[in-house]
Structure formats: C-alpha cells, structure tokens
Amino acid sequence: MSSILTHSPALVMALPLLAAFLTPVVGRFNRKILGWFISAILGLTLGITILMAIQILTNGSMIYVFGGGDAGLTLPSGYTVPIRIIFHIDGMGIFMGLITAVVSFLAAIYSLSFMQKESGLEKYYALLLLLATGMFGMEFTGDIFNFFVFLEIASISSVALIAFRSNFSGEPAEAGFKYMVVSSISALMVLFAIGLFYGQYDVLNMATIASVMQFTQLDKIALILLVTVLSMKAGSVPMHMWTPDAYSEAPAAITMVLVAASQASLYALFRVCFSLYNISLNTVTIGWIIIILGVLSMFIGVTMAIIQKDIKRLMAYHAISQTGYMLLGVGVGLAVLANPVALNSFGIKAMEGSIFHIMNHAMYKGLLFLTAGALFYRTGTRDLNKMGGLANNMFYTTIFFIIGAAAIAGIPPFNGFASKLMIYESVYKFNPLLSIIAMLVSILTLASFVKVFHSAFLGPKLEQYKKVQEVPKSMLFAMATLACIIVLFGLFPDVIVKNLVHPAVMALINQTNYTATILGGI
Amino acid sequence: MIGLLETGSGYWNAITWVIMVIAVGAAVIWLRNHGEDKYKKDTDQTKPFLSGNPEISKEDSHVSASHIYWGFTEALKHYYQPLIKLHTGNINDYSGWIVLVMAIIFIVVGVS
C-alpha cells in the first residue's frame, strides 16, 4: 500500500496513458468490453487519486521525481537546482486532480450507452484517456516545460474528440478546427513564455523559477502572454468564442470533460499568478485585469446564453458566465494579496468561494451537459424550438436537469448557492458593485434555465416524441452520481471547504511553502 | 455544528434551510387542505376563461424557446445587435480578439 502511495503520482498518469495505447488492441479482440475496460481504468485512477488526496491533505504536498533513485529526492548531492521532471502536488493540484478523475470516470460510464452505436470507439476511448492524462499532467507537474507538453496532449486529444462525431448534425469538424487554431496560438505563447524564463534563469522547475524571479521586463512579457492565453483557454470573454462552438459539437460526455480541461487552464493561470510570481508582480493591476475579465465573462456569457436556441450552445455560454465567477473571486484575492489585512478580512474567503465554485461548476455543468446529451440521445435534436413535453417520458432526466439548473442558478440548498454566497459576501467588501453584478448574473442564469426547462420538459407530449423513453442505465448512473455530489456538497459545504478548498487556497497563497517543498527552504 | 459554512460576512446552514422549507411547506399544505372545497375536477370549472373564446389545444399552446423572453431581448436590442455581430464565427476574428486583449494587457501592465 505504501509503495502504491509513493508512486501514485506516476500511476495516475501511467494508467490512462498506457491504457490509451492498449485500447485499440482491446477493441480489436472484443469491442463489447472496450467501454468497461476504459471505465475500470478510469475508476482505478479515481481510486488512486482519492488515496493521494487523503495523503496530501493529511501530510502535506507530495513530490515525485521521475528518473531518480529516490522519488522524493529533488536535489541529489551536488545539485543546486532540480533538473529532473518533478511532479509537485499540493492542496490545489490534488483539488483539480479530483475533479479530473471524477469527470473522466463518469464520462466513460456515460459513453457506454451514449456512444454505443458509434464506429471508431477505440479512437474515442483512447483520446478520452489521453485527454485525462493531459489534464492530470497539467495539474500535477512542477515543471513548466512539462506543463506545456501536457497542455499540448490535452489540446490535441480535445481537438480530435470535438471533431469526433462529424457524421452527426452540426459542424464538429469546423469546431475542432477552430479549437485547434486557438489551442495552437496558446501553446505557442506558452512556449515563448517558457523560453523567456529558461533564457534568464536556466531552469524549468516552477518552484525554482519562483525562488529566483526578478520580475524583469522579460518576466512581465512572459506574465502577459501566460495570463492572456490561459484566460482564453479557460473561456474568458472576449476570447471565449471558441467555447460555444467546441462545447456544442463535442459528444456530451466529452463536453463535460472539456469543461474540466478549461478549468485546468484556469488552474494554470492561478498557479502562474500565485505560485510563480506572487507578490513580485503588481498584484493590484493583474488582479483587476482578472476581475474585469471575470465580470465581462459573467455578464456577456449569461446575456448571450438567454438568446440561444441550441441547448448545448446555451449551456456553453453559461459555462463562460460561471468561469467569470471563478475569475472574479480569485482576482479579488490577487488584488489584495500584498495587503495582509484585506487578504485575511475577505481575500481568502473570496478565493475560497471561487475555488469551491470550480468544483461545483464541474459537477453541475457536467450534469447539465449530460442531460442535454440525454435529450439529444432520445430526440436527435439540440434545437429547443423542436422540443417539448419531455418530462412526461424522461422522468429521471428531468429531475437531474432540475438539480443541475437549480445549482447553476445558485438556488439553495444546492452547491452553487454555497460557493456563490461566499463570493457575493466577500467580494462585496472589496467592491459592492462587483457583487451586485454577480447577483444579477445569477438571476439571469435562473431565467435562462427556466426557458430551457419550459421549452424542453414542460407542456403536453408532442406527437413526434410520444414513443420517447428514458435513457439507458449507464447514462442515468453518471447523471445520478453528479446529482448526488451536487446535493451533498450543497448540504455540507463546510466539510468540503474545510477539507479541500481551504488547503487549496492556502497552497496557492503561500509561495514560500511551494518553493521550500522542492528546494528545501532555499 | 455540521453544515455551518462561514461565508465572509455571516453563516449559511443548508440543513436548517431544508428543515425550514419542510416546516413552511407542511404549513402551506395544511392551510390549503382547509381551504375552499367547492372545486370539482373534470368540469368546466377547471377550464381557463379566455374572454369567452374556446380554449386552444394544449399542443398548440406550448410556447417555443424562440418566443420566450421576446420582450426582454426586444427591449435590449441596442445591446444585443452589436454583441451578436461580434460573434462572427470566423476564426480570424477569434485570433484577433486574443491579440487585442494581449495588446491591452501589455499597455495596462506597461504603464502601471
């Protein structure tokens, strides 16, 4: 058991990565067990991630040095800087890792039925595993070049998965192409920023770069490049336009994972600002830039959502809007990072609200996309104008939709309410107007989902959907699991905030701990 | 106390909220059960009165998504028209927005 724990960071990566290459072989022998094989691999990965979370939250950050004799030895005798690839998993990293593990596993379960009639499933599942690997890597690595590699793995597999169902309605290939272009731009900029760091400091380990950061003009340029492209990858307005295209065309289970992938970029943005630069940067300016991006995302996202007629495009715009809440809270935390009084008074709480919202959003937005997928699975359309009366035939899907919609609209007692309340109350102390805008956006979110509920579920049975039945059990299981998480997180938010969210926020804020874990207090 | 979340300026307890909702809901149902008892199911009493016009079928009366919030979008058409125009669907524009935002951040960080 202790050996598994010691090597768990490598195992979490190796399991999906090796299984991805094994998938075509398994599919060749027995196509029927392929989905179950992938689900078992991702289930095992989830189990190991949970073990890692318990270990990290009990004993502190976890280090894994690849290629060294001792997995925990970052500086072998004679070395002053770490040169090997090091996984550095702290409270924030494992928080994101848990999200990735849960959504990847549930995506595989949901796909068992949802993708059953599709051809090329070996490719689909292999890409899903590679996407999960890329996301885990982005969240666990402590090496900035290694981060770039995993960003690329996640992006390339995402592109292929978005374009996967090109035989269905819509323009999946076009959406995949658009995502490929914006991902390439972001990858290029990230690589350029890495070059600037390496050219100045001769190191790639993030903790080491943080410890020697001079905040030169080149560091400023690297920061600007990283903030811009990582915000774009997170779906921030006005760089959000790829999001509705990609989210609406990808298969529903993949859309759920794409939301988590966007959040991995958001995590990277926070990691850069807090762990790499921290108070060496002009926290007020960068904090306000993130706040403004957040407010724009919240407001433009929700107002664009209201006018959509395609259920998945509508939900995609809401994903943009919800990302705004995360940017807002963390932006406030960053803006007051250099002011200990304000940070302790409301900054930490604002960040807790936002970080909690990341997990909540992954769960309820995942659930909503799965319900949209369930509707598409049975009706063959995403057009809300063509839907109606489906609550008569799809009872469980309706219940799950109500739970997801109530959670995203911030209705108590669901999880979205708890995190939004934390954001409202703490951000109000920073700037009341921002808090009022956030509340207004919540009201518009509710209005938007009332529209979806009325259009798709309410009303009499329509002639063309009289024979529609509830979706298969594997799809229901994935939706039910997310619904249970939403309800439990809503009923006991204090447990999650205390045990998962607070350690994540403190891991971000405390840069000294981050560097000392690798460099031993240098 | 389990379920008690510190929110920054106060506290939130979902368990208490649920208990309150159940209690208020029970009171409302109790009151309703003591209300008017002249309601007769499946009679003309249950039909809506539409100025004497016959009731249209339920299938025809379902309001589709495009018509919901028409008034809202119409009132905000000066906000929506340019906003929709910006969403061209053209990848060149997507890239342009990234460059534009990057340039703005460059200027803001540069002068601050």
Side-chain angles (χ1 to χ4, degrees), chain A residues 279-349:
Chain A
I279 53 170
S280 71
L281 55 77
N282 183 345
T283 54
V284 177
T285 306
I286 298 295
W288 267 104
I289 287 170
I290 292 176
I291 290 167
I292 290 166
L293 289 175
V295 172
L296 284 174
S297 303
M298 278 195 301
F299 194 76
I300 293 179
V302 79
T303 48
M304 281 301 291
I306 281 185
I307 58 170
Q308 300 303 315
K309 294 161 195 81
D310 178 319
I311 187 169
K312 283 188 79 184
R313 278 189 86 82
L314 181 145
M315 288 180 180
Y317 276 109
H318 278 295
I320 295 164
S321 176
Q322 297 303 304
T323 302
Y325 283 93
M326 300 161 209
L327 289 168
L328 173 64
V330 175
V332 167
L334 188 61
V336 299
L337 189 63
N339 178 352
V341 177
L343 185 67
N344 288 318
S345 168
F346 57 84
I348 291 177
K349 200 53 78 180

Side-chain angles (χ1 to χ4, degrees), chain A residues 210-372:
Chain A
S211 70
V212 294
M213 176 75 74
Q214 303 293 312
F215 203 51
T216 60
Q217 287 298 325
L218 290 178
D219 290 333
K220 274 188 186 177
I221 292 170
L223 174 71
I224 293 161
L225 295 176
L226 290 170
V227 167
T228 310
V229 297
L230 292 172
S231 305
M232 183 270 289
K233 288 280 280 182
S236 162
V237 169
M239 302 168 286
H240 64 287
M241 292 163 189
W242 63 270
T243 317
D245 297 336
Y247 284 10
S248 60
E249 297 301 340
I254 298 305
T255 313
M256 174 172 70
V257 186
L258 285 177
V259 171
S262 294
Q263 291 180 332
S265 294
L266 195 66
Y267 156 81
L269 171 67
F270 299 160
R271 185 60 90 192
V272 164
C273 291
F274 286 91
S275 300
L276 206 54
Y277 285 84
N278 207 273
I279 53 170
S280 71
L281 55 77
N282 183 345
T283 54
V284 177
T285 306
I286 298 295
W288 267 104
I289 287 170
I290 292 176
I291 290 167
I292 290 166
L293 289 175
V295 172
L296 284 174
S297 303
M298 278 195 301
F299 194 76
I300 293 179
V302 79
T303 48
M304 281 301 291
I306 281 185
I307 58 170
Q308 300 303 315
K309 294 161 195 81
D310 178 319
I311 187 169
K312 283 188 79 184
R313 278 189 86 82
L314 181 145
M315 288 180 180
Y317 276 109
H318 278 295
I320 295 164
S321 176
Q322 297 303 304
T323 302
Y325 283 93
M326 300 161 209
L327 289 168
L328 173 64
V330 175
V332 167
L334 188 61
V336 299
L337 189 63
N339 178 352
V341 177
L343 185 67
N344 288 318
S345 168
F346 57 84
I348 291 177
K349 200 53 78 180
M351 285 184 68
E352 283 180 358
S354 287
I355 300 296
F356 188 24
H357 204 64
I358 292 179
M359 184 169 268
N360 291 340
H361 179 242
M363 299 301 129
Y364 62 62
K365 185 44 60 88
L367 176 60
L368 286 167
F369 275 122
L370 294 191
T371 57

Side-chain angles (χ1 to χ4, degrees), chain A residues 178 225 238 240-241 245 282 285 303 307 309 317 349 384-385 412-413 417 421 425 429 447 454-455 458 460 490 494, chain B residues 3-4 6-10 12 14 17 58 62-63 65-66 68-69 73 79-80 86-87 89 94 97 101-102 112:
Chain A
K178 286 174 177 174
L225 295 176
H240 64 287
M241 292 163 189
D245 297 336
N282 183 345
T285 306
T303 48
I307 58 170
K309 294 161 195 81
Y317 276 109
K349 200 53 78 180
L384 285 166
N385 282 329
F417 175 78
L421 185 64
E425 291 198 357
K429 289 182 182 172
H454 177 272
S455 310
L458 296 187
D494 55 319
Chain B
L4 192 71
E6 199 186 327
T7 55
S9 298
W12 163 248
W17 187 88
K58 286 190 169 58
H62 184 64
V63 182
S66 293
I68 298 173
Y69 303 138
T73 48
Y79 165 75
Y80 273 116
L86 289 176
H87 291 78
Y94 295 10
W97 280 109
V101 171
M102 198 178 286
S112 68

Side-chain angles (χ1 to χ4, degrees), chain B residues 49-81:
Chain B
F49 181 75
L50 300 169
S51 305
N53 295 316
E55 185 188 0
I56 53 172
S57 76
K58 286 190 169 58
E59 283 77 7
D60 291 336
S61 63
H62 184 64
V63 182
S64 65
S66 293
H67 297 110
I68 298 173
Y69 303 138
W70 176 85
F72 175 81
T73 48
E74 183 64 16
L76 292 174
K77 66 181 176 190
H78 296 299
Y79 165 75
Y80 273 116
Q81 278 167 356

Side-chain angles (χ1 to χ4, degrees), chain A residues 3-27:
Chain A
S3 179
I4 290 176
L5 262 178
T6 307
H7 297 288
S8 54
L11 274 175
V12 166
M13 302 297 302
L15 270 172
L17 185 64
L18 296 176
F21 293 105
L22 209 59
T23 300
V25 181
V26 175

